[in-house]
């Protein structure tokens, strides 16, 4: 196995990175009012147009970190710089895709997508054009006037992704977007996301619990440990692009998978114990 594949993070190149978190720590208040630390000196530096997955046990702070990058949470300590600017709140430059699609149940697929555009100030005529573009891209033609209740889980998630893409963000933050889907739907959407990403390479941070999903999609995998959440390892995925499912049998893939599991297993045991 190429040693570079399993190397630790290269030295942080803060100047060329598009997403930089520097010594980010954060605490939440428990119900009894006592603080609990959820992020501990998290420093990451993600290159422009790169695809990074975050892997780690439940509760290790993946969602919190994503929300910090999105500007939905101001970290108690540390700085976050995205696209060269300090993050002080949400921006139209960044879009989130959630595990639960978060669609408005009374709006159709197209209306949900246009609503996302409206929230960031895109005028109605333009939002219609963008919604239709995203509907076509996500294979939703024929479903644009369906309500979420009339769509399968996979279709709802397609709408969630279309809504994010329609604002033309530079940064896509995806929080277990396929976590609630059945295995086959998940594989179909992984391949579609891969194609879409390889065509226009947004800078993506993607949270997942699936080792194979992370390997298939990512340039780099960040492993988080828990109590409190911290960066345990950063690993390059040394597989060529375009990627495909057929690479699963490649020794690079199987060795990387084994290595990822070795890193994650003690964290999972800690959470379970
Ligand atoms: N708003 C909040 N208030 C208090 N505690 C929170 C809040 N959001 C998350 N937490 C806690 O912070 C920790 C990290 O949560 P989260 O970022 O959602 O982890 P992950 O996404 O890795 O499962 C968990 O222990 C969770 O219960
Ligand atoms: Mg989460």
């Amino acid at each position: 196995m190429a040693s570079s594949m399993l190397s630790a993070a290269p030295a942080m190149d803060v100047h060329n990175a598009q997403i930089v978190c520097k010594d980010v720590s954060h605490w939440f208040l428990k119900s009894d009012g006592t603080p609990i630390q959820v992020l501990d000196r998290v420093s990451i530096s993600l290159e422009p147009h790169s695809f990074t997955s975050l892997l780690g046990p439940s509760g290790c702070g993946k969602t919190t970190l994503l929300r910090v990058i999105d500007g939905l949470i101001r970290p108690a300590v540390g700085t976050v710089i995205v696209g060269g600017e300090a993050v002080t709140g949400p921006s139209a430059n960044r879009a989130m895709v959630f595990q639960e699609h978060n669609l408005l149940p009374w709006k159709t697929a197209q209306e949900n997508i246009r609503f996302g555009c409206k929230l960031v100030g895109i005028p109605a005529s333009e939002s219609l054009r963008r919604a239709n573009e995203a509907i076509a891209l996500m294979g939703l033609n024929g479903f644009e006037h369906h309500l979420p209740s009339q769509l399968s889980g996979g279709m709802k998630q397609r709408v969630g992704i279309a809504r994010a893409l329609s604002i033309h963000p530079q940064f896509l933050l995806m929080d277990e977007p396929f976590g609630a889907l059945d295995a086959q739907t998940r594989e179909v959407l992984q391949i579609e996301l891969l194609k879409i990403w390889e065509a226009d390479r947004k800078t993506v941070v993607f949270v997942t619990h699936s080792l194979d999903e992370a390997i298939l999609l990512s340039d780099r995998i960040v492993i988080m440990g828990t109590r409190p959440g911290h960066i345990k390892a950063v690993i390059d995925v040394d597989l060529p692009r375009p990627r495909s499912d057929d690479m699963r049998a490649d020794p690079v893939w199987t060795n990387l998978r084994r290595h990822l599991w070795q890193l994650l297993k003690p964290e999972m045991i800690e959470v379970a114990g």
Side-chain angles (χ1 to χ4, degrees), residues 28-30 36 38 56-65 175-176:
F28 284 123
L29 292 181
K30 288 200 269 190
I36 177 164
V38 288
S58 290
C60 76
K62 302 179 296 296
T63 296
T64 305
L65 181 57
D175 195 0
E176 299 188 48

Side-chain angles (χ1 to χ4, degrees), residues 1-262:
M1 185 188 325
S3 60
S4 66
M5 185 180 79
L6 300 183
S7 63
M12 274 220 319
D13 183 356
V14 169
H15 300 294
N16 287 326
Q18 257 194 323
I19 297 179
V20 178
C21 296
K22 244 167 122 180
D23 290 324
V24 167
S25 295
H26 195 64
W27 289 259
F28 284 123
L29 292 181
K30 288 200 269 190
S31 49
D32 64 2
T34 54
I36 177 164
Q37 188 171 12
V38 288
L39 294 176
D40 184 19
R41 289 163 293 165
V42 168
S43 292
I44 49 172
S45 161
L46 310 180
E47 283 156 31
H49 313 295
S50 62
F51 197 117
T52 303
S53 285
L54 290 183
L55 275 175
S58 290
C60 76
K62 302 179 296 296
T63 296
T64 305
L65 181 57
L66 221 54
R67 290 168 71 83
V68 162
I69 294 169
D70 197 34
L72 294 166
I73 296 176
R74 283 290 288 275
V77 177
T79 48
V80 183
I81 298 163
V82 175
E85 291 184 2
V87 171
T88 54
S91 151
N93 222 354
R94 304 185 282 275
M96 279 270 244
V97 178
F98 306 90
Q99 175 174 7
E100 297 304 332
H101 47 80
N102 278 13
L103 302 177
L104 298 172
W106 61 88
K107 285 187 184 287
T108 64
Q110 187 190 64
E111 288 166 350
N112 264 288
I113 298 168
R114 293 187 72 188
F115 185 67
C117 290
K118 188 178 171 190
L119 286 180
V120 297
I122 295 165
S125 56
E126 174 65 6
S127 79
L128 181 60
R129 197 189 64 74
R130 290 201 189 186
N132 288 337
E133 177 189 72
I135 281 164
L137 187 67
M138 291 308 301
L140 286 162
N141 283 325
F143 296 91
E144 52 269 65
H145 303 303
H146 285 49
L147 292 169
S149 60
Q150 299 169 311
L151 296 170
S152 66
M155 292 307 245
K156 280 187 268 215
Q157 210 46 279
R158 283 171 190 266
V159 179
I161 296 171
R163 178 181 54 187
L165 293 176
S166 67
I167 69 167
H168 294 181
Q170 242 181 309
F171 305 94
L172 199 52
L173 308 171
M174 308 183 81
D175 195 0
E176 299 188 48
F178 307 146
L181 304 178
D182 65 79
Q184 285 77 33
T185 306
R186 185 172 187 151
E187 288 195 16
V188 168
L189 279 176
Q190 285 168 1
I191 295 294
E192 289 192 24
L193 175 65
L194 194 55
K195 283 199 189 126
I196 290 168
W197 180 81
E198 283 176 346
D200 90 331
R201 290 190 175 236
K202 296 185 190 311
T203 306
V204 178
V205 186
F206 184 97
V207 174
T208 179
H209 283 283
S210 161
L211 305 183
D212 289 313
E213 188 167 272
I215 296 171
L216 175 70
L217 297 171
S218 314
D219 298 310
R220 190 179 276 183
I221 297 173
V222 173
I223 304 233
M224 289 182 70
T226 194
R227 292 186 183 163
H230 60 279
I231 305 295
K232 182 165 181 180
V234 182
I235 294 162
D236 291 334
V237 180
D238 198 14
L239 286 163
R241 292 193 186 270
R243 300 262 173 86
S244 81
D245 253 353
D246 303 341
M247 293 176 178
R248 281 172 196 261
D250 189 312
V252 173
W253 185 307
T254 50
N255 288 336
L256 176 55
R257 193 181 198 292
R258 190 174 313 119
H259 183 65
L260 291 172
W261 181 234
Q262 278 165 359

